[in-house]
Every structure is written in C-alpha cells, then in structure tokens.
Amino acid sequence: MGERLKHPNKHFICSFAECKATFSKLWKLEAHYCRHTGLKPFACGDCEKSFCTRYQLTRHHLRHSGDKPYLCSVSGCSDAFSTPGNLRNHVAHVHHQKESYYVCNHQGCGKEFHKKKQLKFHICEHTNELPFECDFEGCDDKFASSKALKRHWKMHEGYPCDEEYCNVKGKTWSEYQKHKKTSHRVTLPCDQCKKMFHNAWFLQKHKKSVHSGERRMFKCIREGCEKSYTTNFNLQNHILVFHEGKHDFACPFAGCGKAFAMEESLKRHFVVHKPQKTKLQKPKVKQHGVAMAFSSVSKWGHA
C-alpha cells in the first residue's frame, strides 16, 4: 500500500495508480484500500468476521453485546438501534414513510434506491465503469461490486477432486462433475444377479421391481378403463393417445406419416430411419397443430 496523500482541502486521496478515489475521513480511505489489497486486518474475537477499519469492528461488536445506544428521538417511539445507519433508516421508513431516497441523477433516468450502495452499482450501468477488476493472469473481467468479484474468483480457484491421490482440478463445476463420472464412477452390483448400476436409486428400484416379487403398477384413473402399466411413461402415453387422441409429435421423414403423443416416443422412432444416430436433435412443436419444425432437417438427409 502506497504512502497516504492529503489534499489541501483535507480530502484523503487513494495512492494506488489510476485510482482517483478521494475521501473526507481517514477511516474511509483505509476501508477503500481493502478493495485494492483484499486485506481485512481487524478481526472479531467472537466470530469469524474481519473488517477493514477499527470503526467497522467496533460497530460490529455491538451486535454481539446487544447494546443499542442510538435511540429514536421521535415522540412516543422507544425503538433503539446498534448503529446510526439503522436509526436513520428507521426514521426515514417508519416516521417519514420514505420508500426510496437515493435517486439517480443521470439524464433521463431518475431511478430510486433504498441503499446508497445500490445506487452506486446502478450508476455503473450508465458510465460503463466497473471498478473491481480481476487480477487473475489472463483474465480481464470487471465487476460493479466487490462481492461480484469475490464470486468470480471462485471460478479461478476451481474444484479439486476429493478422491484420494487424485490431483485433478475442474475449472468449472460441470467439468468437475464430468471428471468424477468418467474417472471415479461408482459401480454398484446387485447382490442377487449380475447387473451393475452407477446410481444407488436405480439399484434400489431394480431390486424392488425384479427381485422383491412386488411390481408397482400404474393404473389408469379414467372411469371404466381397467388398463394398467409397469411404468408411468406408458400410462401417460396411454392417456394421451386413447383418451385425449393426441398425436402432436409427427415424424418429419418423407413418406413416414407416423405421429406420437410424447416427444420421447418420437425420439425412439427415429432409430428406424437413422439407426446410427445416437444423439437426436430436439424437435420443436408448433403451437397449433402437429407439424414439426426442425432447425436443420438436412442433418437427417432430407430437404
């Protein structure tokens, strides 16, 4: 941290390069330096929080002690508060009935905010100036608040694998999950047959439906219909086709003409036309009718 400079008009000026922030009080300048250094030297002895200035720490201690030295001066009100800021908010909202009192003075805007910090973040939208810049090598991202920057830092910290003797670190949560599934995938064998599962829920369902002798049945609730199915999917398909007459998912292949009540059924049907296709494009249904619109029909070999 550079040497503190004092302006002739008694304003305290930030000494970091390219930073033009100025303050009327020294403790505010010290608090500002935390944004550059990330250090919070004043730690609370009663919890894990730490602060940039002794003033902030002293104010925080009031929450632990329960002291509320700031009394409301409005006649007939006995409320008391631990900080002057909370007292001001109380008077403004309760006694003056002010909904918002920080107004954006940018030309043509006029938006109002409950907190000064909210207004400060909003102004960044007009000026396109984001004061909090990520200092990670190769990253130039900037943010309107220190909290947003702190959340962004977690992306660079990554997600280290928790498996023993594995030093892989995923850059993102998705990358970490993919690593776990491919490199440390759990295999759960059924103790009554040779089948293997990668998920405890599927193993439990398998045991219940195959080895317990009890098979769950999904019965149609339509009056007079006695149909029942072993899966909820088949029951849903039955209701849509036989009771509601729906065939909203039509096959787009020329000369086929088949239509289905459920999208999954259409996806399974595609194997008839393209057995080699393992990843199928998701069809889009028009709002009124059964015609299907595909973003790229040419992938199926049809114009």
Side-chain angles (χ1 to χ4, degrees):
M1 185 167 65
E3 180 185 359
R4 295 194 185 101
L5 300 176
K6 199 171 182 181
H7 199 271
N9 62 3
K10 297 183 180 181
H11 281 189
F12 293 91
I13 304 172
C14 178
S15 60
F16 276 82
E18 299 182 0
C19 183
K20 300 178 181 179
T22 60
F23 303 91
S24 59
K25 296 181 180 179
L26 179 59
W27 71 265
K28 291 184 178 181
L29 174 62
E30 292 174 342
H32 168 76
Y33 278 138
C34 290
R35 297 183 178 181
H36 294 293
T37 64
L39 300 176
K40 294 183 178 181
F42 298 93
C44 176
D46 298 320
C47 67
E48 298 180 354
K49 288 189 175 183
S50 58
F51 302 89
C52 299
T53 66
R54 189 175 298 279
Y55 169 79
Q56 292 173 330
L57 175 61
T58 302
R59 188 174 62 178
H60 169 76
H61 276 316
L62 294 174
R63 296 185 178 181
H64 293 298
S65 65
D67 294 338
K68 296 182 178 180
Y70 300 95
L71 304 177
C72 180
S73 59
V74 176
S75 178
C77 182
S78 59
D79 288 343
F81 302 89
S82 58
T83 67
N86 290 342
L87 173 60
R88 286 195 299 270
N89 289 338
H90 163 76
V91 173
H93 291 130
V94 177
H95 300 297
H96 294 169
Q97 296 182 347
K98 289 185 178 180
E99 293 296 328
S100 301
Y101 43 92
Y102 292 104
V103 183
C104 177
N105 57 8
H106 192 273
Q107 185 177 4
C109 184
K111 285 187 176 181
E112 299 180 346
F113 300 90
H114 292 286
K115 297 181 179 180
K116 187 176 182 180
K117 185 181 293 186
Q118 293 173 334
L119 172 60
K120 185 177 180 181
F121 297 159
H122 166 73
I123 291 176
C124 293
E125 298 177 7
H126 296 299
T127 62
N128 292 323
E129 294 179 1
L130 302 175
F132 298 93
E133 184 175 356
C134 178
D135 57 2
F136 190 85
E137 184 177 357
C139 183
D140 298 324
D141 289 347
K142 296 181 179 181
F143 303 89
S145 68
S146 58
K147 287 185 178 180
L149 175 59
K150 189 176 292 185
R151 288 195 298 268
H152 168 77
W153 275 340
K154 292 182 179 179
M155 182 186 73
H156 296 304
E157 292 173 359
Y159 300 89
C161 182
D162 56 359
E163 295 290 336
E164 193 174 3
Y165 306 118
C166 183
N167 297 321
V168 173
K169 179 186 286 188
K171 294 181 180 179
T172 63
W173 179 248
S174 298
E175 187 176 299
Y176 167 77
Q177 291 288 340
K178 184 178 180 180
H179 163 73
K180 291 280 286 186
K181 288 181 179 179
T182 55
S183 303
H184 308 290
R185 195 170 190 181
V186 178
T187 303
L188 304 171
C190 175
D191 55 5
Q192 299 182 49
C193 65
K194 296 181 179 180
K195 284 195 173 184
M196 308 292 288
F197 298 87
H198 298 294
N199 184 288
W201 184 84
F202 286 113
L203 173 60
Q204 184 180 4
K205 186 177 181 181
H206 162 76
K207 285 184 175 182
K208 186 175 181 180
S209 61
V210 177
H211 301 298
S212 67
E214 298 178 5
R215 198 160 194 177
R216 184 181 178 187
M217 300 300 293
F218 296 87
K219 296 181 179 180
C220 181
I221 59 175
R222 281 278 186 149
E223 187 177 356
C225 184
E226 298 180 355
K227 289 281 187 179
S228 61
Y229 299 89
T230 56
T231 65
N232 186 52
F233 175 84
N234 289 338
L235 173 62
Q236 297 293 329
N237 187 73
H238 161 76
I239 293 173
L240 292 172
V241 173
F242 291 98
H243 295 301
E244 298 187 7
K246 290 189 175 181
H247 298 84
D248 292 345
F249 295 89
C251 179
F253 285 89
C256 181
K258 287 192 175 183
F260 303 87
M262 302 183 74
E263 183 180 15
E264 186 63 30
S265 299
L266 174 61
K267 287 182 178 180
R268 294 175 182 177
H269 167 73
F270 282 149
V271 180
V272 175
H273 300 289
K274 293 287 181 178
Q276 73 277 17
K277 290 285 184 180
T278 57
K279 293 184 179 180
L280 300 173
Q281 192 172 12
K282 186 176 181 181
K284 299 178 181 178
V285 186
K286 289 185 177 181
Q287 188 174 4
H288 303 291
V290 299
M292 308 300 298
F294 285 79
S295 59
S296 180
V297 179
S298 61
K299 288 187 177 182
W300 301 102
H302 298 269

